Amino acid sequence: MTRHFLRDDDLGPAEQAEILALADSLKADRFGTRPLAGPRTVAVLFDKPSTRTRISFAVGISDLGGVPLVIDAGVAQLGRGEPIEDTARVLERQVAAIVWRTFGQDRVETMARHAGVPVVNALTDTFHPCQLLADLQTIREHKSRLSGLRLAYLGDGANNMAHSYLLAGATAGMHVAVGSPADLPPDPGILSRAAAIAEQTGGSAAHLIDPEEAVKGADVVATDTWVSMGDEDRSAAYLELLRPYAVDDAAMSRAAADAVVLHCLPAYRGQEISASVIDGPQSVVWDQAENRLHAQKALLTWLLARAEDER
C-alpha cells in the first residue's frame, strides 16, 4: 500500500528517527541523493499563500534531481470545483508524488485515497507535519537529542501547530505541554492520541491553561502566529485572550536557562513573540526555517523509496 504523510503520527518512532537522520545527511551533502533524477516531476499544490513551503519544496525537489510543478488552485480546475478524486487520478499518472497545502484535512485524505503515488500534507487546518520534521531536526541539532526533552507550545491550542507538536513530540519521546486558554484547547481526540503514543515512547502530552506552568523548565519554547491565513479578521477579544501566552522575556525567564525558541513564521513581533526573543541568542528560528528544505527532502526520499519497493 502506498505510504503517505498526512499527519504526524503516520510515522512510527523508528520511522521518524530514520527520516530525521536522513535529513541530517542531506543537509551535510545537499546534492548527494537524487531519487527524482530523470527528471521526475512532483506536483506541489497551493490553496493557501505560502513563502517557506513554496520555496523549500521547489528547491528541495530540484536538489533531488526532479522538477517541481507548482500549481496555484486559483488557476487550476481543482480550485473551480473539479472533484479531488478526478484530480488525483490525473496527477498519479504523470507525477512521482503530490504535495498539497490546503484547508480541510479531509481534502488531503481524499487525495491520498485516490492517488497511487505518495501524498504529502504541506499544511492543513488541523496539522502541519512537515514543519514538525524541520522543528525536530532543529531541536536535535541544538540539544543533541529529542527523547526526554520538555517542549512548551504557547498560544492557540486549537490550531494545526499545537496538534502537530503534540503528535510529533510524543512520537519522539518528548514531554509536550500546550499552554493555551481554556476556550482554545487542543482537539480532545488528538490530545488523547498523543498521550497514547507517549505511553509507548516515554514522553507525555498535556494541555495546561496556566502559561507559567506550561513553560516552567522547558528545554524548547515554541509559538505560532495568532493571525493565521484566513483568520485576519480575528477579534480584539481573541487577541487579548492570548496575550498572557506571548513568548517574551518574562516567559523565557521561566524556561530552562539554555532553552531554545522556535517559531514557524511569519512572526508578528510584539504580538505572539517579542523582538528581543526572536532576534535574541536563544532563537533558532532561522535554522528551523532552513531545515524545512532538508527535512522535506528526506521525507520525499523516504516515501519514494517505499513507493519503488511496492512496484
Side-chain angles (χ1 to χ4, degrees), residues 47 166 256:
D47 292 347
L166 285 165

Side-chain angles (χ1 to χ4, degrees), residues 77-78 80-89 100 110-111:
Q77 296 297 339
L78 182 63
R80 300 177 60 192
E82 180 174 61
I84 295 169
E85 296 88 339
D86 292 355
T87 299
R89 294 182 182 110
W100 198 6
T110 299
M111 182 74 79

